Amino acid sequence: MGHREDLLEGAKRCLLEKGFLRTTARDVVRESGTNLASIGYHYGSKDALLVQAYISLIEGVGERFDPGAGVETTQPPGSLERFREVMAAIIATVPEARAIWLLSFELMFQDERLEGVRGRLAEAQREGRAGLASMFTGIPEADLDRETVEAEGRLYQTLLNGLMVQWLFDPDTATTAEQLTEGLRRVIAGVGRNG
């Protein structure tokens, strides 16, 4: 690995151990075995490096959401069964990825104070919506239309963020995939009766 990759891997370890705000450039240098000048050369700033490391961490978690990734699924895309299956896969990541989810919320409440962070995080959110819509619909990201990403992707992203708050705050009473699916089933039935 070169300095760029070493810095990214060191930054990931620092983020998981210390969080965004408490990680210093010297921490990353110490963890990566590189030097301070490498941060500016490869990433422009410590914050830019940490944002890239965070995005890499969250993408790794997102890859584990898809029950079809390395696992055969018989649940049809767009079905309630698929919804339950994907939500269960997401929930299953919480114990192993708790530090990453906590980091997500730390960044949500600090990014206005960190120059250049908001734009990159907003871009990552847009990419995340497409990934979520793809998992639930079974349509490859490249084939999704903008309306699907903006409507369904936003719905799934909003559910995911609320779900993570519950699981981080109190896992013993957090909503399960089965409860979410039953709630969605009832909403659909209600819309059918009243729509």
Side-chain angles (χ1 to χ4, degrees):
M1 273 196 302
H3 276 206
R4 182 174 179 78
E5 296 82 14
D6 291 340
L7 284 166
L8 188 64
E9 291 305 311
K12 287 182 197 178
R13 289 189 295 273
C14 288
L15 284 174
L16 293 174
E17 182 184 326
K18 298 181 114 186
F20 195 94
L21 295 177
R22 290 187 7 220
T23 295
T24 67
R26 292 192 186 284
D27 293 331
V28 174
V29 166
R30 186 172 34 256
E31 188 65 34
S32 65
T34 61
N35 58 63
L36 284 173
S38 292
I39 294 173
Y41 178 77
H42 291 291
Y43 291 94
S45 71
K46 176 201 75 156
D47 288 347
L49 167 59
L50 293 180
V51 167
Q52 189 58 47
Y54 163 74
I55 290 169
S56 180
L57 287 168
I58 209 74
E59 285 173 346
V61 172
E63 290 169 5
R64 295 190 300 251
F65 288 175
D66 190 349
V71 177
E72 287 298 315
T73 180
T74 58
Q75 305 308 326
S79 67
L80 284 172
E81 295 82 13
R82 177 70 173 192
F83 178 84
R84 186 204 52 75
E85 189 175 60
V86 172
M87 284 300 185
I90 289 170
I91 290 168
T93 70
V94 176
E96 67 190 53
R98 182 175 173 78
I100 297 169
W101 290 115
L102 288 169
L103 184 59
S104 296
F105 288 101
E106 176 187 356
L107 282 171
M108 275 184 224
F109 298 113
Q110 298 297 327
D111 68 351
E112 290 178 352
R113 298 179 192 136
L114 301 170
E115 186 178 331
V117 171
R118 179 176 285 282
R120 186 61 184 110
L121 291 176
E123 180 184 327
Q125 288 276 350
R126 285 189 293 278
E127 292 169 8
R129 284 193 286 275
L132 286 168
S134 177
M135 279 187 272
F136 286 98
T137 64
I139 301 169
E141 282 185 56
D143 297 336
L144 285 169
D145 59 71
R146 181 173 167 78
E147 293 79 19
T148 300
V149 172
E150 289 302 308
E152 294 178 42
R154 283 181 184 275
L155 173 68
Y156 297 132
Q157 195 171 53
T158 300
L159 286 172
L160 171 63
N161 288 336
L163 190 61
M164 286 305 107
V165 169
Q166 290 180 13
W167 277 90
L168 291 172
F169 180 71
D170 186 8
D172 294 333
T173 63
T175 303
T176 66
E178 291 74 20
Q179 291 168 324
L180 273 174
T181 306
E182 178 59 16
L184 180 57
R185 186 192 65 72
R186 289 174 181 238
V187 168
I188 292 168
V191 169
R193 281 191 307 271
N194 302 319

